[in-house]
Amino acid sequence: MASEYVLRIPLDRHVITTQRSLAAVLEDIRRVLHDSAPRSALQGHLVAAGHQVRLIIDRPEATDELVRCLPDAGAYCPATVLVQAAGDGACLAYDSVASAISPYQDEEALAVAELFDAEVLSLLRRVAEPAPGESGQ
């Protein structure tokens, strides 16, 4: 017999806008994630979807630890970042894994998710910043 329940999950969505062009942001993301990274580093790939690009991002070591602590965490990690053109630049949107798993009240999983979120947000903030001498476009 199957059962079903609904868990309402409040999410913290981080939205980062930049005057850098979408192409420049995507190129920097590719540079950072280009080589096969060890399991202890962020990995990812870009998936084009119409006028948006989704960055599927993971750190396999963190994902393994999250699902060991909290099997449902596999629904949130690897994580997705939406990257799209916005006005004169680009917009990056990321839903925090820690906020998604907070209703489960698993402190060990939450600590891993917070570290993962910090790595992802650091990457997004870095690619949103213009390089020295670079104009937004």
Side-chain angles (χ1 to χ4, degrees):
M1 180 202 264
S3 65
E4 180 178 338
Y5 67 94
V6 175
L7 179 62
R8 297 218 183 271
I9 299 177
L11 290 175
D12 292 342
R13 175 164 292 161
H14 297 262
V15 179
I16 300 170
T17 57
T18 179
Q19 291 183 335
R20 295 190 74 209
S21 70
L22 178 62
V25 168
L26 293 175
E27 182 59 31
D28 278 359
I29 290 170
R30 283 186 190 98
R31 279 191 197 116
V32 171
L33 302 174
H34 179 265
D35 296 323
S36 293
R39 289 179 55 81
S40 61
L42 287 178
Q43 301 175 6
H45 65 275
L46 299 169
V47 178
H51 297 289
Q52 303 172 341
V53 176
R54 294 197 181 276
L55 168 61
I56 310 302
I57 195 161
D58 194 13
R59 186 164 59 83
E61 205 173 65
T63 299
D64 290 350
E65 192 171 342
L66 276 169
V67 297
R68 182 185 53 75
C69 299
L70 180 65
D72 284 4
Y76 312 107
C77 208
T80 300
V81 177
L82 178 64
V83 186
Q84 58 189 343
D88 293 355
C91 179
L92 302 98
Y94 171 70
D95 293 339
S96 155
V97 175
S99 68
I101 68 168
S102 65
Y104 295 96
Q105 299 181 352
D106 184 306
E107 292 303 316
E108 187 177 355
L110 190 58
V112 173
E114 287 170 344
L115 287 173
F116 177 78
D117 286 341
E119 286 182 84
V120 172
L121 289 167
S122 175
L123 166 67
L124 299 181
R125 290 172 181 135
R126 187 175 34 202
V127 300
E129 285 298 319
E134 178 186 48
S135 67
Q137 303 294 317

